[in-house]
Amino acid sequence: MTQDIESLLNQMTLEEKAALVTGATAWTSTPVKRLGIPSMMVTDGPHGVRKVNNLDDVASESLPATCFPTASCMASSWDPGLVRAVGEAIAEECIALGVNVILGPGTNIKRSPLGGRNFEYYSEDPYLSGRMATSFIHGVQSKGVGTSLKHYATNNQEYQRFSISSEVDERTLREIYLPAFEAAVKDAMPWTVMCCYNKVNGVYGSENHYLLVDILKEQWGFDGLVVSDWGAVHDRVKSLKGGLDWEMPGPDPRRTQAVVDAVKNGSLDSAALDESARRILRIVMKASETKLGGKFDVDAHHALARRVAAEGMVLLKNNGILPLQSMNHIAVIGKAAQAAHFQGGGSSHINPTRVDVPFVELQKLAGAAELTYAQGYPADDSQQPALIEQAVQVAKTADVALLYIALPGFKESEGYDRSDLDLTRQQVALIQAVSAVQPKTVVILNNGAPVVMSEWIDGVAAVLEAWMMGQAGGGAIADVLFGRVNPCGKLAETYPVKLSDTPSYLNFPGENGAVRYGEGIFVGYRYYDARQVPV
Ligand code: BGC
């Protein structure tokens, strides 16, 4: 194979190499037909396959695929074997849908619970993040499908994500923000690594020679290709010099021409272009060895998604009410009981093959019990006392009240950070009002990252952290509530009592184009333990 790659490279013209290092569309690499070099298809990631219908449109509708629970939930299972199984299933779906590389896993450290994309990441802890990412990669790649370990590195917030500079000292970088990437690269060798949008100590992730060449390629021995995050390249020549092999999305004829000109006028060493072309060729040719097509087992993957969701759910409080024993009348309150909140917004958004409705799944396990539903809160941020009053009436006469509370998408998504750790005002008022009349109140949370609870947790009987639970999560909640599954998930990130307790509070999200990682290595539990701050 090595020889084949070298001989292909030797036959390529400068123009062909320059075209190869930028994509052909939003999701495919540039083929070189005369040499039999095929095109490679990549797709988001990370907790399902988002294969778009229209290759030229980044935001076009995607084909149905299994939406697995997001990374927060998977990590809370603390079960690398399960994460590997998800990776295998996702690879099977990639093969069926004609995809060579899935754009995941995301293994950035959760520096602040305010980070808008925290739901896509595993943990505040580098070791656990590394183990999870490694297992996921092994699972996917065992089937001949590639992964993209992202977003390398210190992409820990959404605020000014395209431009902000993460100012982080060397020890913190090496001990907190790089080890998960390092472990995954060394142990599982992802086919691709995706650079971050932001700058790291003043240099864009897409041009950062220190990160991409010195550390990733030389110190860790990464032999795959580095792909840009979508649109992260500012100057194609500079990025090639910095070690960024493949620019996405494409095509970009001006950039391709700039590369040709730079080689011709001597400002770009042709060896740098060759090295990136070589890395791309290696992966493209490797990808072409996997035969794509066929079908995937929709039912089996849905069942796996249900199992993972149940294994990742965390019982945060239980005064003995769970598992539910013979009930005659159950009040089911909260919009999320009917409209499952099972994934986050942004590039990871999956078009699910089907969705379990929590209320319906509950009814299936509740036997003869009567279930009465009340919406409890609106879809928006408005306060609607009438919905609370209605919920209180339903809760009062029931044996138990199950409150399905989902943190709405306008508070948590890719693209923006959270401004607080609160549920909506209406949701807090709802929990308080219902638990005041019904001591047997169980709160079921759907969210991708911590919420604060001190205003209401003392008044309720149980709290189940059900996460962004994937398409089968509605059934998984019922499994846990009725004791069909023992809830054995444990948090992989700290739940602070209040926002101002968080380690990065004084520095997040930065100002004047920079965010200082002033808390150093004291991220997550390292900080709370050292300062003896209650959580
Ligand atoms: C995201 C990546 C994603 C890419 C392609 C970017 O905006 O940061 O995580 O893989 O888009 O959709």
Side-chain angles (χ1 to χ4, degrees), residues 6 23 57 118 198 252 295 348 456 510:
E6 287 311 308
D57 179 3
N118 279 15
N198 51 284
D252 194 332
K295 288 198 168 122
S348 67
W456 51 265

Side-chain angles (χ1 to χ4, degrees), residues 6 21 112 137 159 183 234 251 285 321 325 338 342 370 385 415 447 460 462-463 509 521:
E6 287 311 308
V21 297
S112 165
I137 295 167
Y159 175 71
H234 300 266
M285 297 317 283
I321 177 102
Q325 311 291 348
Q338 293 288 6
F342 59 95
E370 183 193 338
N447 49 316
V460 304
V463 181
I521 61 165

Side-chain angles (χ1 to χ4, degrees), residues 413-429:
S413 168
E414 177 180 348
Y416 42 89
D417 293 319
R418 297 159 72 194
S419 53
D420 55 58
L421 298 180
D422 304 320
L423 298 171
T424 67
R425 279 321 310 159
Q426 171 93 4
Q427 289 171 331
V428 172

Side-chain angles (χ1 to χ4, degrees), residues 27 44 50 58 103 117 120 150-151 161 194 197 229-230 347 414:
W27 306 106
D44 279 308
R50 187 172 71 92
V58 186
L103 302 175
R117 282 183 97 167
E120 281 187 69
K150 66 190 190 184
H151 308 86
R161 69 170 171 157
M194 187 189 293
Y197 282 127
D229 198 344
W230 267 229
S347 58
E414 177 180 348

